[in-house]
Amino acid sequence: MDVFSEIFEQARWKNDLLWRRAFYEPWGFRFPCERSGGFHMVVQGECYVRYSDRTELLQKGDLAIIRPGCHHDLVSAPRSRARSVRELAESTPEAPGPGGIPLTTLVSVRHEVPDGPVHPFFHEIPEVLILRQAEIPLNHPIHTTCAMIAAEVGSGIGSDLILQRLTDILLYSALRQWLES
């Protein structure tokens, strides 16, 4: 087994598909990430990620990988108010608005970090690592995996399981791409 694979195998991260959700009205959520990281993939529309006094635009196909411990907001507009992501988990999905087209559709995954020492590799990852769809070659596995995730959003039987496996592949591929660049 190579070093990259060993690091992730020993990390024992537990992934959790937070949501695959369409938003039809302005929105904003705060992600407390004491012992977790993860990523957000914009399937449709755009949004912003705010962290450490920075605000970054995310557009369709973009991926924001969040380092464990990086508290951040995900919002529909740069100055949108953010409420706890726990409120989203307790709410019912919005009904489609006029025209039925959401402002934003997202897939978000949380990777829980178990208690104990953390490999130094994880401290080297930027707080938020953004991969822009426009910068990913069409024949790259990241592009293909993003396309598969986008197609799976809203699918039927087994969709959650398939999305969890695809999002694992996407995380590892994206971090490998970052290491190689």
Side-chain angles (χ1 to χ4, degrees):
M1 187 179 291
D2 63 272
V3 174
F4 182 78
S5 299
E6 285 180 20
I7 289 170
F8 277 94
E9 194 66 33
Q10 291 172 4
R12 296 172 305 154
W13 284 8
K14 178 186 168 215
N15 82 342
D16 181 20
L17 182 64
L18 283 179
W19 72 52
R20 51 182 180 155
R21 192 129 182 204
F23 297 94
Y24 295 88
E25 298 174 3
W27 55 275
F29 295 98
R30 175 158 290 127
F31 294 82
C33 296
E34 297 298 330
R35 297 289 301 168
S36 65
F39 70 82
H40 307 285
M41 181 183 141
V42 181
V43 176
Q44 186 270 322
E46 64 183 34
C47 64
Y48 295 82
V49 60
R50 295 189 305 220
Y51 63 99
S52 299
D53 297 325
R54 298 185 68 183
T55 301
E56 301 271 356
L57 173 65
L58 301 174
Q59 297 177 309
K60 180 181 177 180
D62 289 350
L63 177 68
I65 299 173
I66 311 297
R67 182 178 73 198
C70 177
H71 304 288
H72 63 285
D73 296 343
L74 206 59
V75 294
S76 59
R79 299 194 189 282
S80 292
R81 182 180 146 285
R83 55 190 181 153
S84 171
V85 71
R86 289 179 186 94
E87 291 180 36
L88 178 68
E90 296 166 0
S91 69
T92 56
E94 299 171 28
I101 299 173
L103 295 173
T104 311
T105 303
L106 296 167
V107 171
S108 294
V109 174
R110 176 180 66 134
H111 288 273
E112 190 174 314
V113 179
D115 289 333
V118 176
H119 193 282
F121 167 76
F122 298 108
H123 298 292
E124 297 299 318
I125 300 170
E127 280 187 296
V128 176
L129 173 62
I130 297 176
L131 296 177
R132 307 270 180 210
Q133 181 185 33
E135 299 170 3
I136 302 169
L138 286 176
N139 62 347
H140 195 283
I142 292 173
H143 181 78
T144 304
T145 307
C146 287
M148 291 174 70
I149 289 170
E152 193 61 34
V153 170
S155 294
I157 297 173
S159 184
D160 284 349
L161 176 66
I162 292 168
L163 280 170
Q164 285 189 349
R165 299 308 180 260
L166 287 172
T167 56
D168 277 346
I169 291 167
L170 183 57
L171 174 69
Y172 303 143
S173 297
L175 288 174
R176 181 174 64 187
Q177 170 76 10
W178 170 71
L179 281 172
E180 293 173 345
S181 63

